[in-house]
Amino acid sequence: MLKICFSQFEVEPGHPDLNFSKMLQAINEAKQNHADIIIFPEMVIPGYLLGDTWEQTSYLKDCLAYGDDIIAQSDDICIIFGNIAVDWNKKNTDGRVRKYNALYAAYQGKLIQPEKSPYPFAIKTLFPNYREFDDSRYFFSLQNLATEMNKPVEELLSPMKVNIKGQEFNLGCILCEDGWSDDYNFSPIDILCQNYKLDMLVNISASPYTFGKNNKRHRVFSKQAKDNNVPLVYVNNIGIQNNGKTIYTFDGSSTVYDADGNIIACCAAYTEKNTYVELSAAKSYPALPVPQNDDIANIYQALCYGIKKFLHDIRMKKVIIGISGGIDSAVASALYAHVIGKENVTLINMPSKFNSETTKGLSSQLAHNLGCHYAIVPIQEVVDFTVNQFEQTQVENLSTQEINHVKVSSFVKENIQARDRSARILAGMAAAIGGGFTCNANKAETTVGYSTLYGDQSGFLAALADLWKYQVYDLARYLNKEVYKREVIPQGIIDIVPSAELSAEQDVDAGKGDPIKYPYHDFLFRSFVESWQKVTPEDILIWYSEGTLEEHLGCEQGLAKKYFPTAKEFIADLERWWNLFTGMAVAKRIQAPPILAVSRRAYGFDHRESQNGAYYTRAYKQLKAKLLGESA
Amino acid sequence: MLKICFSQFEVEPGHPDLNFSKMLQAINEAKQNHADIIIFPEMVIPGYLLGDTWEQTSYLKDCLAYGDDIIAQSDDICIIFGNIAVDWNKKNTDGRVRKYNALYAAYQGKLIQPEKSPYPFAIKTLFPNYREFDDSRYFFSLQNLATEMNKPVEELLSPMKVNIKGQEFNLGCILCEDGWSDDYNFSPIDILCQNYKLDMLVNISASPYTFGKNNKRHRVFSKQAKDNNVPLVYVNNIGIQNNGKTIYTFDGSSTVYDADGNIIACCAAYTEKNTYVELSAAKSYPALPVPQNDDIANIYQALCYGIKKFLHDIRMKKVIIGISGGIDSAVASALYAHVIGKENVTLINMPSKFNSETTKGLSSQLAHNLGCHYAIVPIQEVVDFTVNQFEQTQVENLSTQEINHVKVSSFVKENIQARDRSARILAGMAAAIGGGFTCNANKAETTVGYSTLYGDQSGFLAALADLWKYQVYDLARYLNKEVYKREVIPQGIIDIVPSAELSAEQDVDAGKGDPIKYPYHDFLFRSFVESWQKVTPEDILIWYSEGTLEEHLGCEQGLAKKYFPTAKEFIADLERWWNLFTGMAVAKRIQAPPILAVSRRAYGFDHRESQNGAYYTRAYKQLKAKLLGESA
């Protein structure tokens, strides 16, 4: 019987020293609990999302040195952990030193070599080349190595044998993507299980949270255990890691499946903990229910953990939030107040002459409900001064000596207000109190750039920018009902029409608000960015002409017809947003704050984009002409 | 004898319709000139740097449809061009449809199939997985295909045979990186040349400009032609393409090498042009000199082309530049005025009480020298108003009813000034005139975030942010001497100490300026970001202790000692900047404008980074303790 400790570890990316110290503690605890094996996640020493830090030789050496010190701890416990591995005599195809994403297993101070591997560690075989992942940029896969050695990968993939208490255990050790082989032309697990009699599969991972992903993981991994009749231990890290623009939470949710595919142990999401399980042919644990994780509570948990950890990592204790009386800033306020404490949150309402008594009242009510710090800082004087200063300014053409004056249009005035709020007041006040100010943008706004650069588009973190507007509303209701258990976000904020209130046209009291019709556009925009094969106006127009649009988008039936009675109106709306999504919104996203990712496609490093302007395919133009009764 | 047209084409990424129309023109011209073959660059129809547009099925189909129409034009001319190729029955490892980066050769309306290929096109074999490249994310390589088919790549790599005027020609066709195989374990060119008698090598490329790269390319490609005794035609596109954050110019510089490795034809950089050359065993052209491209003139050319094309692509005609009397904004002004015309450039000086008469005078002089539009828009009133407004604001703790006031420190006031200039004045004025405002940051400032977010860190484009300060000075002298042939940038601006003039401490008349000592820090910072194996404080400290620091950095001898007489001072300086480089500066770069890349490592998508905070290796800490005479 083998006592296994799986260590759901909070990895500090880029800080091997901290990870090393914490690993020592976890190992000592496991030793005291007489565990035979302790298993840490993938890349537990260096971290996983490090950008080009992988090109620093000194960093590689440092990680290897700490790895050696961990190996030295394996006197009476088998330690399995992920780390970088380096072959200083070989090169990657970029000409830099050869690096492997490796799994080390050490026992009695020595590394265990997989039977057929040329190295004393297991090498990640399959590399994710999608979403936020960049493995191919830095590492050499076992597949690459097999090709280099002119061997089929089957001849390298082999288990690690460890002799514990006089008994030999055959461990099939893989890393993360190796267990997600559906789209590859071979499966590392199948190869291992077909060629060897294994006692256990071990999958060490650094797998970021994505809404709903664990449901799929349970299906896939449970089947792997059952099909191969072997227990599977999945150890994932917690923590946050980022690619600069996009911040991922890692939820852990480490799980042990028995040989029947039942969950027999699992670790709560976002909890750092050693968990122990005894594996033997005889002993069997009761099957646990499959955790569900596809509701707003799950997203809420990811946001809370992500915000808290990010603030901790950047050493920010105080936060300023500009509140407008709208839903996004209200949800941000309730969220931050809960995560870092109301005493660390300052809410600032910044009215102009266009802000209604309604929204000013709702802002005040929100602030009072939450019990945060609260201030009102009006913008009208500086906005008026600015418009006046611009119009008075003499712009001289120094070639002709002609004097010109600029004219400030209504649209330009709108953006002056937005920038005055964020760049003058929020940024200044945040600096004065020694904190940061939040960006409260949602994903619908972010998609089409319905925001002002250096205005409401700015902030140190866009915590809600991976949530569609309907999810922001869901979160508002969840915060009131489940978190605070009282109406902290006034119902009036949930009910009011969303509006920027930057001009007399955007009068909330007259029900005039954003040009975005969220019940439809949330889903239209989602198809642009989150569909596996990305949707473009061509697809939309085909579905529209077939009458299957709402079905494809997943929104309420009949919405297109309701908002856009004619094909001409429908197409004008479609092109309006597509032009923005692929035009000005890209320029804005380039300069947008980091986004906390929760969806299966977040802006930033996950959804990579170029500023190339809008494009319409030939097939789109033909179908459009047909629908409009014109010639293409 | 074969008359070859190589078409150095200006590719519009993301706009197959435009590329198609222009290709038709180029083909017609080649037909009129009785060319036998016309060769276009890699990915000439779709463009190359497109981000996740590759995931749009409709876009793929559109590119293939335009490709078919090009193929139909090959009645009496062989057309070689790059495009995406799709196998709808297979998948990439991300589960999306199988995509190849392909070279098509069509003649008499039909595609020519490489002898041993399963497809009627040649497939890119080697994928760059470094710098700005992302091929592995989207495409399946010939190497991957060979592995999938359980064959060595040699069995798929084969030439294309075309029968023109009754004579058979064997063309070895490769794509871009296939010709840069030094760091791979095989060379596609060697395989082709060893297994077949070729009449010509064709390398179609989409190869971005990098300072000095063409020198290496001439060495490598000339050797390939000579070693294999076969002419090589290298066809590269021009244009700009971007990954959002980083904008690349493509210089073309297409070249034909004869079988002796001599350059016999080449096309000027950044020029769209069909060039003709007749290749036969008999005829030989005189060898042309190898073009040099490693001076500031070369960078100047890249910047001019990049700025002009970027402005054209985003349809921006007018530009506003905030000028301080310092070198960066002066160079930006002279550059933009030259590129888009002084009549489209408005220079704005925005003095506060800290700006000296010296710099105000130099600003005015610069504007007059250039003959641009010019205005003075002071910031002091709004800055004072803001500080006063903040300090008067009642911040109420709604839990305790306590009223607090913020205190605005001198440092906070500095940033208020910077944001007032950019977010209030420049952004507003730019919107009012219907243009954009520039970010004038250089690479040294960008490295350590010596700038204010939403202040001087902002703008629509950071055209100089890939130039070290010394290169900005080189460019200033070049603009005066070679471009304008008069002193448009006043010598006073070149001579004055660089300073932000944001406080009484930064008095230029007293010679007080930036904390960055450019003659040393330019080179220190360069080592952090541009070294092939990235340099960290550990490397710096080793070189410092060995006395080889300046030699390694490439700066003037003795500078470290001059600026930092003691090890303690040296280390404090090193850590100060390393902390910023890996800390706050990362946060700032995430929200920085797109950068026009010229160096071999530009910030953004080329130098990928995570916001993980500063890190010092164990070896660094030990060496530091030793140098300071402390225990680690």
Side-chain angles (χ1 to χ4, degrees):
Chain A
M1 199 171 64
L2 219 50
K3 185 167 184 180
I4 293 165
C5 168
F6 57 103
S7 186
Q8 181 163 296
F9 194 86
E10 189 171 58
V11 173
E12 303 295 339
H15 295 274
D17 53 350
L18 303 181
N19 293 324
F20 171 72
S21 307
K22 286 204 302 154
M23 284 175 78
L24 287 189
Q25 292 170 29
I27 291 167
N28 284 335
E29 190 210 281
K31 284 180 177 177
Q32 280 158 24
N33 283 296
H34 306 292
D36 298 302
I37 304 184
I38 180 168
I39 308 175
F40 291 101
E42 183 184 13
M43 289 295 189
V44 66
I45 291 178
Y48 182 44
L49 304 181
L50 301 182
D52 294 346
T53 298
W54 293 115
E55 295 173 11
Q56 298 170 358
T57 307
S58 65
Y59 190 77
L60 301 176
K61 287 184 179 162
D62 196 59
C63 294
L64 295 175
Y66 281 117
D68 287 343
D69 288 354
I70 290 295
I71 294 162
Q73 297 294 316
S74 65
D75 38 4
D76 52 356
I77 188 169
C78 173
I79 304 174
I80 296 179
F81 65 100
N83 195 7
I84 191 71
V86 180
D87 185 336
W88 300 102
N89 298 315
K90 288 191 173 175
K91 285 192 290 187
N92 278 358
T93 59
D94 64 357
R96 296 189 177 87
V97 71
R98 172 70 53 87
K99 294 176 280 291
Y100 301 104
N101 183 343
L103 175 152
Y104 293 86
Y107 190 48
Q108 294 174 331
K110 289 205 186 85
L111 285 178
I112 300 163
Q113 187 146 346
E115 275 184 44
K116 297 186 175 174
S117 169
Y119 296 105
F121 43 79
I123 297 170
K124 192 171 179 176
T125 306
L126 305 181
F127 281 174
N129 276 316
Y130 48 82
R131 295 203 58 195
E132 69 275 19
F133 300 108
D134 239 358
D135 283 46
S136 297
R137 183 176 174 90
Y138 305 112
F139 313 126
F140 208 76
S141 70
L142 190 70
Q143 171 66 76
N144 296 150
L145 182 63
T147 304
E148 184 182 66
M149 295 171 73
N150 283 316
K151 287 187 175 183
V153 74
E154 289 83 347
E155 291 189 20
L156 294 178
L157 254 179
S158 49
M160 288 169 151
K161 276 202 184 102
V162 56
N163 196 309
I164 296 175
K165 301 179 193 159
Q167 208 188 328
E168 193 172 81
F169 294 93
N170 227 4
L171 310 180
C173 293
I174 59 169
L175 295 99
C176 206
E177 184 81 353
D178 295 339
W180 297 88
S181 56
D182 279 3
D183 295 318
Y184 296 82
N185 63 339
F186 66 93
S187 151
I189 286 183
D190 290 350
I191 291 175
L192 282 168
C193 292
Q194 281 155 19
N195 296 337
Y196 302 92
K197 173 81 195 90
L198 301 182
D199 296 293
M200 187 167 74
L201 280 167
V202 176
N203 182 334
I204 65 167
S205 289
S207 187
Y209 168 77
T210 295
F211 183 58
K213 192 192 65 177
N214 277 326
N215 294 343
K216 183 175 178 192
R217 197 248 303 159
H218 284 303
R219 275 200 311 279
V220 171
F221 286 17
S222 164
K223 189 169 184 307
Q224 287 167 355
K226 191 177 173 188
D227 287 356
N228 294 297
N229 192 33
V230 62
L232 188 161
V233 182
Y234 165 75
V235 186
N236 190 24
N237 65 303
I238 66 164
I240 62 168
Q241 305 200 27
N242 70 86
N243 286 305
K245 203 75 170 181
T246 324
I247 301 167
Y248 291 89
T249 66
F250 290 68
D251 61 328
S253 302
S254 304
T255 309
V256 181
Y257 303 85
D258 70 12
D260 294 325
N262 296 315
I263 296 176
I264 56 168
C266 67
C267 191
Y270 301 114
T271 307
E272 188 173 45
K273 188 165 178 269
N274 275 359
T275 307
Y276 298 86
V277 58
E278 294 185 347
L279 281 189
S280 74
K283 167 140 189 159
S284 94
Y285 287 79
L288 301 175
V290 177
Q292 286 308 305
N293 41 53
D294 50 5
D295 56 14
I296 196 70
N298 195 246
I299 290 180
Y300 168 75
Q301 192 183 18
L303 293 176
C304 286
Y305 178 79
I307 290 170
K308 186 168 194 163
K309 188 77 174 78
F310 186 67
L311 285 166
H312 172 268
D313 288 357
I314 64 171
R315 296 190 186 84
M316 189 182 285
K317 289 192 171 61
K318 291 180 182 176
V319 157
I320 280 187
I321 304 177
I323 58 169
S324 62
I327 189 74
D328 300 317
S329 56
V331 167
S333 302
L335 198 54
Y336 277 92
H338 187 72
V339 171
I340 61 170
K342 60 188 177 182
E343 67 281 8
N344 293 312
V345 176
T346 302
L347 305 180
I348 302 189
N349 182 240
M350 297 165 286
S352 75
K353 64 184 178 191
F354 298 118
N355 290 92
S356 59
E357 291 308 318
T358 309
T359 54
K360 285 190 277 191
L362 288 169
S363 295
S364 165
Q365 202 184 326
L366 171 75
H368 281 85
N369 290 352
L370 289 170
C372 297
H373 301 270
Y374 182 57
I376 297 171
V377 187
I379 63 166
Q380 200 60 51
E381 282 169 279
V382 170
V383 169
D384 289 342
F385 179 92
T386 299
V387 171
N388 191 48
Q389 186 182 31
F390 285 6
E391 295 192 337
Q392 298 295 320
T393 293
Q394 299 199 336
V395 182
E396 184 178 2
N397 181 331
L398 294 178
S399 292
T400 65
Q401 277 68 52
E402 201 183 331
I403 303 284
N404 293 297
H405 288 88
V406 300
K407 183 86 196 79
V408 181
S409 72
S410 160
F411 178 70
V412 170
K413 281 178 197 163
E414 290 185 24
N415 290 323
I416 288 173
Q417 295 169 62
R419 285 189 299 267
D420 198 65
R421 288 197 174 105
S422 295
R424 188 175 69 86
I425 296 175
L426 294 179
M429 286 290 281
I433 65 157
F437 71 101
T438 66
C439 174
N440 308 325
N442 61 57
K443 196 166 187 176
E445 286 173 5
T446 304
T447 299
V448 292
Y450 187 66
S451 60
T452 302
L453 210 51
Y454 322 130
D456 51 323
Q457 176 68 84
S458 48
F460 77 97
L461 173 69
L464 303 178
D466 203 21
L467 268 64
W468 300 103
K469 194 82 170 183
Y470 75 88
Q471 294 174 306
V472 175
Y473 282 109
D474 286 350
L475 194 54
R477 285 181 285 261
Y478 182 81
L479 283 159
N480 280 355
K481 194 171 167 205
E482 304 292 340
V483 179
Y484 286 92
K485 300 183 196 299
R486 60 189 169 93
E487 191 184 298
V488 288
I489 298 172
Q491 189 61 36
I493 288 181
I494 297 175
D495 293 337
I496 203 170
V497 58
S499 170
E501 290 194 302
L502 290 170
S503 73
E505 295 307 298
Q506 298 164 341
D507 179 352
V508 287
D509 293 321
K512 292 179 187 169
D514 292 354
I516 305 177
K517 310 293 174 206
Y518 294 101
Y520 166 68
H521 288 123
D522 258 357
F523 297 86
L524 177 72
F525 299 167
R526 189 179 69 174
S527 79
F528 294 164
V529 61
E530 290 186 11
S531 299
W532 193 247
Q533 295 291 347
K534 285 188 170 162
V535 167
T536 71
E538 181 183 323
D539 306 295
I540 297 293
L541 222 49
I542 290 171
W543 297 335
Y544 174 79
S545 64
E546 289 174 352
T548 59
L549 181 64
E550 287 91 345
E551 187 186 321
H552 273 102
L553 297 182
C555 68
E556 195 187 315
Q557 285 294 332
L559 281 183
K561 200 78 194 168
K562 176 182 153 193
Y563 291 127
F564 317 106
T566 67
K568 196 176 166 187
E569 288 162 291
F570 178 82
I571 288 170
D573 177 78
L574 176 62
E575 294 191 355
R576 170 189 187 174
W577 299 116
W578 181 255
N579 288 344
L580 286 168
F581 168 59
T582 57
M584 189 53 83
V586 182
K588 289 180 180 174
R589 283 191 289 269
I590 290 170
Q591 300 192 42
I595 288 175
L596 193 50
V598 295
S599 79
R600 60 179 181 172
R601 211 68 190 265
Y603 287 112
F605 203 70
D606 180 357
H607 170 85
R608 303 186 191 175
E609 56 191 346
S610 299
Q611 195 176 172
N612 286 338
Y615 181 69
Y616 297 93
T617 62
R618 185 149 58 168
Y620 171 83
K621 287 181 205 157
Q622 287 163 352
L623 184 52
K624 173 184 169 184
K626 197 177 144 199
L627 285 168
L628 298 179
E630 298 164 355
S631 53
Chain B
M1 200 172 65
L2 220 47
K3 186 168 184 179
I4 293 165
C5 168
F6 58 103
S7 187
Q8 180 163 297
F9 195 86
E10 190 172 57
V11 173
E12 304 294 341
H15 296 274
D17 53 349
L18 303 180
N19 294 323
F20 171 73
S21 307
K22 287 204 302 152
M23 284 174 79
L24 287 188
Q25 292 170 29
I27 291 167
N28 283 335
E29 191 210 280
K31 284 179 176 178
Q32 279 158 25
N33 284 297
H34 306 291
D36 298 302
I37 303 183
I38 179 168
I39 307 175
F40 291 100
E42 183 184 13
M43 288 294 188
V44 66
I45 292 179
Y48 182 43
L49 303 182
L50 302 182
D52 294 346
T53 298
W54 293 116
E55 295 173 10
Q56 299 171 356
T57 307
S58 65
Y59 190 78
L60 301 176
K61 286 184 179 164
D62 196 60
C63 294
L64 295 175
Y66 282 118
D68 287 344
D69 289 355
I70 290 296
I71 293 162
Q73 297 292 315
S74 67
D75 39 3
D76 52 355
I77 188 169
C78 173
I79 305 174
I80 295 179
F81 66 100
N83 195 8
I84 190 72
V86 179
D87 185 336
W88 300 103
N89 299 314
K90 288 190 173 176
K91 286 191 290 187
N92 277 359
T93 59
D94 64 358
R96 295 190 177 86
V97 70
R98 174 69 54 86
K99 294 177 279 291
Y100 301 106
N101 183 342
L103 176 151
Y104 293 86
Y107 190 49
Q108 294 173 331
K110 291 205 185 84
L111 285 178
I112 300 163
Q113 186 145 348
E115 274 183 45
K116 296 186 178 175
S117 170
Y119 296 107
F121 44 78
I123 297 170
K124 193 169 178 178
T125 306
L126 305 181
F127 281 175
N129 277 317
Y130 48 83
R131 295 204 57 196
E132 69 275 21
F133 300 108
D134 238 359
D135 283 46
S136 297
R137 182 175 174 90
Y138 305 113
F139 313 128
F140 207 76
S141 71
L142 191 70
Q143 171 66 76
N144 297 148
L145 182 63
T147 303
E148 184 182 65
M149 296 172 73
N150 284 316
K151 289 184 174 185
V153 74
E154 289 83 348
E155 291 190 19
L156 294 178
L157 254 178
S158 49
M160 288 168 151
K161 275 202 183 104
V162 56
N163 196 308
I164 296 175
K165 299 176 191 162
Q167 208 188 329
E168 194 172 79
F169 295 93
N170 229 4
L171 310 178
C173 293
I174 58 168
L175 295 99
C176 206
E177 184 82 353
D178 294 340
W180 298 88
S181 56
D182 280 3
D183 294 318
Y184 296 81
N185 63 340
F186 66 93
S187 151
I189 287 183
D190 290 351
I191 291 175
L192 282 168
C193 293
Q194 280 156 18
N195 297 336
Y196 302 92
K197 173 81 194 88
L198 301 181
D199 296 294
M200 185 166 76
L201 280 167
V202 177
N203 182 334
I204 65 169
S205 289
S207 185
Y209 168 78
T210 296
F211 184 58
K213 192 192 65 176
N214 276 327
N215 294 344
K216 181 174 180 194
R217 196 248 304 160
H218 284 304
R219 277 201 310 279
V220 172
F221 285 19
S222 163
K223 188 168 184 305
Q224 287 167 355
K226 192 178 172 187
D227 287 355
N228 294 296
N229 192 34
V230 61
L232 187 160
V233 182
Y234 164 76
V235 186
N236 190 22
N237 65 302
I238 66 164
I240 62 168
Q241 304 199 29
N242 70 86
N243 286 304
K245 203 76 172 179
T246 324
I247 300 167
Y248 292 88
T249 66
F250 290 69
D251 61 329
S253 302
S254 304
T255 310
V256 181
Y257 304 85
D258 70 11
D260 294 326
N262 295 316
I263 295 175
I264 58 169
C266 65
C267 191
Y270 302 112
T271 306
E272 187 172 45
K273 190 164 175 270
N274 276 358
T275 307
Y276 298 87
V277 58
E278 294 184 348
L279 281 189
S280 75
K283 167 140 190 162
S284 94
Y285 287 78
L288 301 175
V290 177
Q292 286 307 304
N293 42 51
D294 50 4
D295 56 13
I296 196 71
N298 195 247
I299 289 180
Y300 168 76
Q301 194 183 16
L303 294 176
C304 286
Y305 178 78
I307 290 171
K308 186 168 195 164
K309 188 76 174 75
F310 186 68
L311 286 166
H312 172 269
D313 289 356
I314 62 170
R315 298 191 183 84
M316 190 182 284
K317 290 192 171 60
K318 291 181 182 176
V319 156
I320 281 187
I321 305 176
I323 58 170
S324 62
I327 190 72
D328 301 316
S329 56
V331 167
S333 302
L335 197 54
Y336 276 93
H338 188 73
V339 172
I340 60 171
K342 60 186 176 184
E343 66 281 8
N344 294 312
V345 175
T346 302
L347 305 180
I348 302 190
N349 184 239
M350 296 164 287
S352 75
K353 64 185 177 191
F354 298 119
N355 291 92
S356 59
E357 291 307 318
T358 310
T359 54
K360 286 190 274 191
L362 289 168
S363 295
S364 164
Q365 201 183 327
L366 170 75
H368 281 85
N369 291 352
L370 290 170
C372 296
H373 302 269
Y374 181 57
I376 297 170
V377 187
I379 63 166
Q380 200 60 51
E381 282 168 279
V382 171
V383 168
D384 289 343
F385 178 92
T386 298
V387 172
N388 191 49
Q389 187 181 29
F390 286 5
E391 296 192 335
Q392 298 294 320
T393 292
Q394 298 199 336
V395 182
E396 185 179 0
N397 182 332
L398 294 179
S399 294
T400 64
Q401 277 69 52
E402 202 183 330
I403 304 284
N404 294 296
H405 288 88
V406 300
K407 183 87 196 83
V408 181
S409 72
S410 161
F411 178 70
V412 170
K413 282 179 197 163
E414 290 186 23
N415 290 323
I416 288 173
Q417 294 169 62
R419 284 189 299 267
D420 198 64
R421 289 195 174 106
S422 295
R424 188 175 69 86
I425 296 175
L426 294 178
M429 286 290 281
I433 66 157
F437 71 100
T438 66
C439 173
N440 307 325
N442 61 56
K443 196 166 186 173
E445 286 173 4
T446 304
T447 298
V448 293
Y450 187 67
S451 61
T452 301
L453 209 51
Y454 322 129
D456 51 323
Q457 175 66 82
S458 48
F460 77 97
L461 174 69
L464 303 177
D466 204 22
L467 269 66
W468 299 104
K469 193 82 171 182
Y470 75 88
Q471 293 174 306
V472 175
Y473 282 108
D474 285 350
L475 193 54
R477 286 182 282 263
Y478 183 81
L479 282 159
N480 280 355
K481 194 169 168 207
E482 305 293 340
V483 179
Y484 286 92
K485 299 182 194 301
R486 61 190 170 90
E487 191 185 299
V488 289
I489 298 171
Q491 190 61 38
I493 287 181
I494 297 174
D495 294 338
I496 202 170
V497 59
S499 169
E501 290 193 301
L502 291 170
S503 72
E505 295 308 298
Q506 299 164 341
D507 180 352
V508 288
D509 292 323
K512 293 180 188 167
D514 291 353
I516 305 175
K517 310 292 175 207
Y518 295 101
Y520 166 67
H521 287 124
D522 258 358
F523 297 86
L524 177 71
F525 300 167
R526 190 178 70 175
S527 79
F528 294 164
V529 60
E530 290 186 13
S531 299
W532 193 248
Q533 294 291 347
K534 286 190 169 160
V535 167
T536 69
E538 179 183 325
D539 306 295
I540 297 293
L541 222 50
I542 290 171
W543 296 336
Y544 174 79
S545 64
E546 289 174 351
T548 60
L549 180 65
E550 288 91 345
E551 187 185 320
H552 273 103
L553 297 183
C555 68
E556 195 187 313
Q557 285 293 333
L559 282 184
K561 200 79 195 163
K562 176 180 151 192
Y563 291 127
F564 317 105
T566 67
K568 195 176 167 187
E569 288 162 291
F570 178 82
I571 288 170
D573 178 78
L574 176 62
E575 295 191 356
R576 169 188 189 174
W577 300 116
W578 182 255
N579 288 343
L580 285 168
F581 168 59
T582 56
M584 189 52 83
V586 181
K588 289 180 180 174
R589 284 192 288 270
I590 290 171
Q591 300 194 42
I595 288 174
L596 194 49
V598 295
S599 80
R600 61 179 179 172
R601 210 68 190 266
Y603 287 113
F605 202 71
D606 181 356
H607 170 84
R608 303 186 192 174
E609 55 191 347
S610 299
Q611 197 176 172
N612 286 338
Y615 181 69
Y616 297 92
T617 61
R618 185 150 57 169
Y620 171 83
K621 287 181 204 157
Q622 287 163 353
L623 184 52
K624 174 183 168 183
K626 197 177 145 199
L627 284 167
L628 297 180
E630 298 164 356
S631 53

